[in-house]
Amino acid sequence: MKGKGEENMIETLAMRSMSKAVYSTEPIGHYGLGFEYYSHFTSPIRRYPDLLAHRLLQHYLDGGKSPSKQELEEKRNTVVRWKDWLLMQKEILSSTCR
């Protein structure tokens, strides 16, 4: 389809059909790779959840114990609240800049 008129539409539909990332304390693994345990992270500068993964890895490398599920849920909820707050700020800025 490369270079054809339908390329953009098919690419857009394919991307929209893919599920969004969900951050959870449940070890759901990676279906496509067939891994029971899986963690994905990129640059810790770009995403707070990734920073948490880096901190946890360093904690374990230093001999630390696993945090409780409640502690992890509290941190995840903080990330969700910040995301919601940032989206609200973006909407406010975009409406005042028109």
Side-chain angles (χ1 to χ4, degrees), residues 13-98:
L13 289 173
M15 291 300 289
R16 287 185 181 179
S17 70
M18 295 180 187
S19 61
K20 303 272 189 265
V22 175
Y23 297 101
S24 171
T25 57
E26 296 298 320
I28 60 171
H30 191 288
Y31 177 79
L33 296 176
F35 294 159
E36 184 176 354
Y37 298 100
Y38 178 81
S39 178
H40 171 77
F41 56 90
T42 56
S43 169
I45 296 168
R46 294 193 317 215
R47 299 185 66 166
Y48 187 70
D50 297 338
L51 178 60
L52 290 178
H54 280 260
R55 287 180 179 171
L56 284 171
L57 289 172
Q58 188 61 56
H59 176 75
Y60 295 133
L61 290 171
D62 293 340
K65 297 184 189 240
S66 296
S68 70
K69 183 174 180 174
Q70 181 180 351
E71 289 174 299
L72 290 175
E73 289 291 341
E74 288 170 4
K75 289 183 180 189
R76 183 186 62 83
N77 291 338
T78 299
V79 170
V80 170
R81 284 193 301 271
W82 270 104
K83 178 185 165 203
D84 291 343
W85 182 84
L86 288 170
L87 289 172
M88 185 175 65
Q89 299 307 309
K90 179 182 173 188
E91 288 176 20
I92 291 169
L93 285 173
S94 65
S95 67
T96 58
C97 294
R98 291 179 193 174

